[in-house]
Each structure stands twice: as structure tokens, then as C-alpha cells.
Amino acid sequence: MRGSQGMGGGAGAPAAAAQAMPTIQAAPAAPVAPQQAGPPTGANGFGHLTPQQVSAMESAAQRQMMRDPALAAGVTDYINPVMQSNGKALSQNANWAAATGQPLTKRQQQMLDAVDKLAKPIGQETTLYRADHPDFLERHCGLPSNYSSMSDSQLRKLLVGSTWQNSSLESTAYDSRNNPFWPQAGGRGTGTHGQGGIRSGNREILIRYHTAKSARAAFIQPSQSEAVLAVGTHHKITGVRSTRLGPSRTYLSGKKVLELEIEVW
């Protein structure tokens, strides 16, 4: 076969025969469904990524960094655990500046750009885990600093349905057992890295992100099961409750611990 232009009668076919043959219009190609760009459907639940899926995404990121030294340098900065003078890592300071509208240094911008460039659609509706402090809810949803005195009903009325797009990267884990800030069901010291209880960083907000297939993430640090959500990710809070997962009130801060369900796309 010579392709679509080789399907006629050939150069030696009589003209009359050619004219007698009906013209058959090729059927249009079936349209390819665009990748979902809105919230997740939840049609098949939010099953966890398989080791094979994770390995494929981590390997793709590694190959991309091998081809681009500048990209690799930015990611190395992002996962650098060394604390700066204010007791925060490079990535924490960069994300805080981006989230609060402060000017970024050249190094911070290169770091965030590098990780964002690696972020690719996850391709599956899944669950990611993050533990955080309440300040992002104060910025995006008007959560008061004394929220611990509010009932679950009041918290749901205030927070559920709130939407925003992030202006920074967000580190999450596809396996909560490897998240260094996630309290473990077995208590203190029972996580893969010895975390749990007060070792989880006294973070008052425990988040389960339910992703759309189109949600973009960079898989850059296997030791922490890290998947970094891209800049510009959409968020919508769908569930809020106080919890006794980990400490019922965080160590020293005295604040109520909340579990949030947030859709991201």
C-alpha cells in the first residue's frame, strides 16, 4: 500500500472507468477528547498511584534534568534541606515569598521556574497529602486566628466552597507514610522517617488533595514521596472537620487540628 494517494485506479485506468467510480469521502477522524481541565469527577474514586506510575514520572523528571543542567540546579536548590538564617529551607522561603506577593530573588525565581517546568499532568484522579499551618486559609478564605473556638458547622460554612489559584509551588506526598509532616496513625515515631505526633512539625491543617487528571505535579524527591503541585493550580475546599488524627491540639500552639478535603486541577 502506498498511502492514501495510492488508492485510485492508477495511471493506466481508462478515463470512463475512473468517471464511473463513485467518489467516496474519507470519514473524518474521531475527535480526540481534550484532557479534563476542570475539577475532578470522582467517578472512580481517588485511588493511589501505583509504584509503576510513580517510577515512570520520577524517571521522566530525571531524564529531563539530565538534559538541562540549569533545570537540575534549580531542583537541587528546591530539595536542599539546609536551613537558612531564619530557620527555613530555601524552598520554604521562596514559596512563602511567592505566596504572599513579595519580590523573589533571582535564585528563588530560578528554583520555582525549574520545578514548575518539570510539572506534568498526573493523568489520574488520585489523592495527595500535605500538612500546613493555617496562614494560607487566613489569606484565601478569611479563617480567623481564633478559629479553634469555632464549631465544625461554623468552619464548614466559612470554608467549604472556597476557591483560589496558588501563586507558589506546593509540596505534597503521594504516600502519607513518607510525608515528613504527616502525623501517623500509630503515634509518635511510627512514620517511615520517625515522624508522628509533635515530630510532624506541629502543623494544624492536614490536607487531602483530590486531583483531576490534568493537575500538574513534579515528582522530584522519592525519599519523601514528593509530588510538587505546579504554580497556578486551582483549589476548591469540599470538606472540613476537626480531627484527632495525631494530636487533638498541636503541641504548644493550642490550635485545633483540621482535616481538609480539597479538589485541585
Side-chain angles (χ1 to χ4, degrees):
M1 252 197 176
R2 294 175 291 163
S4 60
Q5 295 198 31
M7 297 295 289
Q19 292 171 358
M21 293 178 64
T23 301
I24 300 176
Q25 296 291 334
V32 177
Q35 189 164 45
Q36 177 190 340
T41 65
N44 298 309
F46 296 94
H48 291 89
L49 297 170
T50 67
Q52 293 78 12
Q53 289 172 314
V54 169
S55 179
M57 287 183 279
E58 289 173 342
S59 296
Q62 288 293 329
R63 289 193 299 270
Q64 192 172 346
M65 285 188 283
M66 288 176 66
R67 296 191 298 267
D68 188 339
L71 196 62
V75 172
T76 299
D77 265 353
Y78 191 84
I79 64 177
N80 186 343
V82 176
M83 297 293 106
Q84 304 302 293
S85 59
N86 65 349
K88 304 292 184 182
L90 283 167
S91 60
Q92 290 175 306
N93 284 327
N95 280 320
W96 173 257
T100 55
Q102 300 177 39
L104 300 176
T105 66
K106 182 179 180 180
R107 185 180 186 184
Q108 288 175 329
Q109 189 67 64
Q110 289 173 337
M111 180 197 319
L112 299 188
D113 287 347
V115 177
D116 194 67
K117 188 175 180 180
L118 280 179
K120 301 294 187 293
I122 296 175
Q124 175 180 315
E125 294 191 347
T126 188
T127 298
L128 302 174
Y129 300 87
R130 178 177 172 84
D132 208 338
H133 298 294
D135 57 273
F136 79 100
L137 294 175
E138 295 171 8
R139 293 194 305 273
H140 294 300
C141 313
L143 182 72
S145 58
N146 65 343
Y147 74 89
S148 294
S149 63
M150 298 173 67
S151 67
D152 279 15
S153 177
Q154 290 172 319
L155 288 166
R156 284 193 293 270
K157 184 175 181 180
L158 174 66
L159 298 177
V160 171
S162 296
T163 61
W164 68 91
Q165 276 183 274
N166 62 313
S167 55
S168 63
L169 299 168
E170 285 182 275
S171 292
T172 74
Y174 51 83
D175 186 340
S176 64
R177 295 169 298 180
N178 290 333
N179 186 319
F181 305 114
W182 191 269
Q184 302 300 306
R188 178 174 177 173
T190 58
T192 304
H193 302 287
Q195 78 274 26
I198 63 172
R199 295 188 187 183
S200 65
N202 309 322
R203 296 178 184 234
E204 301 92 345
I205 310 299
L206 306 177
I207 308 164
R208 287 176 175 82
Y209 283 126
H210 298 313
T211 76
K213 294 179 181 180
S214 61
R216 294 171 53 238
F219 289 72
I220 59 174
Q221 192 167 200
S223 65
Q224 295 185 7
S225 297
E226 188 169 22
V228 183
L229 291 173
V231 174
T233 298
H234 293 262
H235 297 64
K236 181 179 180 180
I237 297 178
T238 58
V240 180
R241 63 180 176 273
S242 56
T243 182
R244 291 187 177 275
L245 178 61
S248 60
R249 290 184 182 272
T250 55
Y251 184 65
L252 294 181
S253 76
K255 292 183 178 179
K256 184 183 292 186
V257 179
L258 302 181
E259 286 189 74
L260 267 60
E261 309 282 334
I262 301 182
E263 293 181 347
V264 293
W265 67 94

